[in-house]
Amino acid sequence: MKKIFVFFCMAFLLTFGAFSEGSEESEVNREQDYALRMNEPGDQYINIGLMVTFPLNFGGNFPLYRDGKLSTGGAGTLGYHRFLNSWFSVGIDISFGYHPTIQHNMFTYVPFTLCATVQPSWRKFEFPITLGVGAAVETYLSSTYFPGLVLKPQAGVFYRINPSWSFGVRGDFMILPQWYSNSDYNYTGMFASGMISARYHF
């Protein structure tokens, strides 16, 4: 009788262990499948973000860029993107940025950029690497410059909390050159930004 009882106990433990191991493996497989299927061709998302923007080294004769007259500013961005396959998307971003000066005036810019994004992922983490090219409206006092070229490389990390929403941080580097017929007035503005962002996937 004792031998039969021991046999049934051992059989139960082995069976429970097999089911437990199978359950753990299936959970890992589900997570891996979810990561692989997070983005498929035709998937879209809307991106919204707020950022702090820092002026970097500037050149040329634009008076804002000499002697540290341009202060730290802010910007907001809104974008629409569509995946062409599971790791590559294209889209458009529209931003509005501002920088106060030490004279309490305001330098503003509104860039429109066409974006191409490569996005590797690992489990629920996504790592978008983007290059944006476009044009900007730049305004200071009564002067407006349009169209100004915009180059904007970006990189970030996002966490997909569910199929519809992901949240993350991103770093941007923006180049705003201005070219005139008189090259003495040419200059190139460069800005670095840190952003917190939310994306709605559909």
Side-chain angles (χ1 to χ4, degrees), residues 24 137-138 148:
E24 291 177 0
V137 181
E138 302 171 47

Side-chain angles (χ1 to χ4, degrees), residues 44-114:
Q44 306 162 73
Y45 67 87
I46 295 172
N47 176 76
I48 185 169
L50 295 174
M51 65 186 85
V52 178
T53 304
F54 306 94
L56 302 178
N57 297 327
F58 295 92
N61 294 313
F62 191 44
L64 290 179
Y65 298 158
R66 294 203 304 266
D67 306 321
K69 293 182 179 179
L70 201 62
S71 302
T72 299
T77 187
L78 178 67
Y80 165 79
H81 298 257
R82 182 184 181 91
F83 281 92
L84 301 184
N85 56 40
S86 61
W87 55 269
F88 181 76
S89 67
V90 295
I92 183 171
D93 285 342
I94 302 173
S95 304
F96 173 81
Y98 71 92
H99 285 269
T101 70
I102 60 175
Q103 293 87 7
H104 304 292
N105 295 314
M106 201 68 67
F107 170 63
T108 62
Y109 52 92
V110 182
F112 302 81
T113 53
L114 298 175

